[in-house]
């Protein structure tokens, strides 16, 4: 009798797991068709409700959606993915996250924020996927997301080798100079969109040499792409935060521009102190200084990567052109399986 009970329980668990997986796959809604580009949310006019800014309470619930034949659904047929640093199997918590609906919510919030500010600059959404299993990243991918952010070099190397080749990876974590070459060579210039955390000439030189080494094996000059970088600025002045000081960022930009021909300065990045929105204003001022130091015709040729899950709308209001959103899309993170 005990054996029969155990067998029944195992069958029920298997059925439950199958239902969750199936519902998760079927709930992937292609939201990129609502926008002109899978990487950018464009600043076309939107209608603001009488209640003003969307509140957090409007986040879609995580219950399985009701299906409608009028909506396009896409199945996740990528069952061949293998383990990525002990994080490829979705946890029970991950199984309840409706990634496609969350991306839809974030993109709508970005549109609302853009409509309320001056200017016509687009805003890129970088989905921060650190510690998350490849299954969740594929749900985001199938919802049209192509820009992903990772904080750990080894995790990025593993995911880039496993996931679709048209994903553009942003490295947004601290990068030790002795790991720079392995990251650049392992991911490649086609997939590695940029390193957002350059704050020393030592790291810049390492990245520059890594790119130059890659170019040695290329015969076609047109294939010799430069590596995009952002200069990370410590706008809060906190010792716990990485980044060059606002007073020194212009000098660093000139030094890199002069001595690192394989690198292209795409913009500036900051994390800032929680709740201190003047950090965003500081980065905007830094962009003006760097543009002048580099002799650029327009400061808007430099991007501003600022704003995360808790403050990306305020960052957009203050000029951000690239926001890094993680937990709002993928749910809270579990660092217990993370290998250093």
């Amino acid at each position: 009798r005990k054996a029969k009970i155990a067998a029944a329980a195992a069958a029920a668990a298997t059925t439950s797991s199958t239902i969750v997986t199936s519902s998760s796959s079927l709930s992937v809604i292609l939201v990129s068709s609502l926008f002109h580009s899978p990487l950018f949310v464009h600043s076309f006019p939107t209608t603001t409700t009488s209640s003003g800014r969307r509140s957090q309470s409007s986040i879609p619930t995580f219950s399985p959606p009701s299906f409608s034949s009028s909506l396009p659904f896409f199945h996740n047929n990528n069952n061949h993915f293998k383990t990525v640093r002990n994080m490829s199997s979705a946890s029970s918590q991950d199984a309840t996250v409706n990634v496609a609906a969350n991306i839809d919510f974030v993109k709508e919030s970005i549109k609302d924020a853009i409509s309320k500010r001056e200017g016509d600059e687009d805003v890129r959404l970088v989905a921060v996927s650190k510690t998350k299993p490849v299954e969740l990243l594929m749900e985001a991918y199938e919802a049209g997301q192509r820009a992903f952010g990772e904080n750990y070099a080894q995790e990025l190397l593993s995911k880039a080798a496993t996931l679709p080749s048209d994903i553009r990876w942003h490295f947004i974590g601290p990068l030790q100079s002795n790991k720079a070459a392995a990251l650049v060579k392992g991911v490649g210039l086609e997939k590695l969109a940029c390193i957002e955390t350059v704050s020393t000439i030592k790291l810049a030189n390492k990245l520059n040499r890594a790119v130059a080494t890659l170019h040695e094996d290329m015969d076609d000059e047109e294939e010799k792409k430069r590596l995009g970088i952002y200069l990370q600025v410590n706008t809060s002045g906190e010792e716990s935060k990485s980044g060059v000081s606002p007073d020194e960022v212009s000098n660093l930009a000139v030094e890199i521009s002069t001595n690192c021909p394989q690198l292209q300065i795409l913009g500036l990045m900051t994390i800032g102190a929680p709740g201190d929105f003047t950090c965003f204003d500081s980065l905007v001022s830094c962009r003006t200084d760097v543009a002048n130091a580099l002799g650029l015709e327009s400061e808007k040729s430099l991007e501003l990567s600022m704003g995360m899950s808790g403050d990306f709308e305020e960052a957009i209001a203050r000029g951000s052109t690239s926001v890094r959103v993680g937990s709002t899309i993928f749910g809270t993170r579990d660092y217990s399986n993370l290998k250093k």
Side-chain angles (χ1 to χ4, degrees):
R1 182 177 180 180
K2 290 182 179 180
K4 291 182 178 180
I5 293 174
T14 302
T15 302
S16 175
S17 175
T18 302
I19 292 174
V20 170
T21 303
S22 176
S23 297
S24 177
S25 298
L26 288 174
S27 65
V28 177
I29 304 173
L30 183 65
V31 297
S32 63
S33 59
L34 300 176
F35 310 99
H36 298 304
S37 166
L39 295 183
F40 287 87
V41 176
H42 294 267
S43 53
F44 49 84
T46 58
T47 302
T48 304
T49 63
S50 58
S51 59
R53 180 182 295 178
R54 291 171 60 126
S55 64
Q56 192 69 16
S57 62
S58 61
I59 297 179
T61 61
F62 294 143
S63 58
S66 58
F67 299 109
S68 169
S69 59
S70 63
L71 293 175
F73 292 94
F74 294 81
H75 297 268
N76 182 355
N77 293 320
N78 297 274
N79 296 322
H80 61 282
F81 293 129
K82 299 182 180 179
T83 301
V84 178
R85 301 180 73 239
N86 290 340
M87 289 178 290
S88 67
S89 298
S91 66
S92 58
Q93 181 182 16
D94 290 333
T96 66
V97 177
N98 190 332
V99 173
N102 291 345
I103 287 180
D104 187 20
F105 168 78
V106 172
K107 286 186 174 182
E108 286 296 325
S109 298
I110 290 174
K111 286 169 54 183
D112 288 345
I114 290 175
S115 69
K116 297 172 184 176
R117 76 176 187 185
E118 297 181 357
D120 56 357
E121 291 182 276
D122 297 329
V123 174
R124 176 190 294 106
L125 170 61
V126 177
V128 179
S129 48
K130 63 179 180 179
T131 78
K132 290 301 179 180
V134 294
E135 288 88 349
L136 288 190
L137 274 70
M138 276 307 303
E139 289 189 32
Y141 178 87
E142 292 179 348
Q145 184 65 26
R146 293 295 183 270
F148 289 82
E150 290 289 341
N151 289 60
Y152 308 109
Q154 188 57 47
E155 185 176 355
L156 174 50
L157 284 166
S158 298
K159 288 179 176 177
T162 303
L163 291 162
S165 60
D166 60 335
I167 288 178
R168 295 297 170 257
W169 298 97
H170 291 234
F171 187 81
I172 59 175
L175 180 61
Q176 298 175 2
S177 58
N178 62 351
K179 295 183 179 180
L183 180 64
V184 172
K185 296 174 184 177
V187 178
L189 298 178
E190 288 297 326
K191 297 180 182 180
L192 187 59
C194 61
I195 307 292
E196 293 202 17
T197 50
V198 177
S199 60
T200 66
I201 188 61
K202 178 181 179 181
L203 177 57
N205 283 330
K206 288 280 189 178
L207 293 169
N208 187 71
R209 285 195 289 271
V211 176
T213 301
L214 284 181
H215 288 174
E216 292 175 359
D217 298 327
M218 298 179 182
D219 296 327
D220 189 347
E221 290 295 326
E222 294 183 358
E223 293 182 358
K224 297 181 179 181
K225 297 177 58 177
R226 291 190 292 171
L227 173 64
I229 65 169
Y230 289 68
L231 304 181
Q232 183 176 1
V233 184
N234 185 349
T235 54
S236 66
E238 298 171 278
E239 293 184 1
S240 60
K241 298 286 174 62
S242 300
V244 63
S245 71
D247 294 336
E248 298 174 350
V249 65
S250 293
N251 291 335
L252 178 62
V254 171
E255 189 172 7
I256 292 175
S257 179
T258 302
N259 299 312
C260 301
Q262 311 300 337
L263 306 183
Q264 180 180 8
I265 300 176
L266 299 178
L268 281 66
M269 184 273 254
T270 195
I271 297 176
D276 184 1
F277 300 139
T278 63
C279 293
F280 299 149
D281 299 331
S282 177
L283 196 69
V284 173
S285 297
C286 288
R287 177 171 73 167
T288 301
D289 296 338
V290 169
N292 290 335
L294 295 178
L296 302 179
E297 293 184 4
S298 171
E299 62 186 40
K300 290 187 177 181
S301 61
L302 295 173
E303 298 183 19
L304 292 174
S305 175
M306 58 187 194
M308 298 184 289
S309 285
D311 55 15
F312 70 87
E313 290 171 294
E314 187 64 36
I316 292 172
R318 294 170 184 260
S320 177
T321 61
S322 183
V323 294
R324 310 179 302 273
V325 181
S327 58
T328 301
I329 294 174
F330 296 110
T332 57
R333 298 186 181 91
D334 178 9
Y335 293 93
S336 61
N337 290 326
L338 183 64
K339 292 182 180 180
K340 296 296 184 181

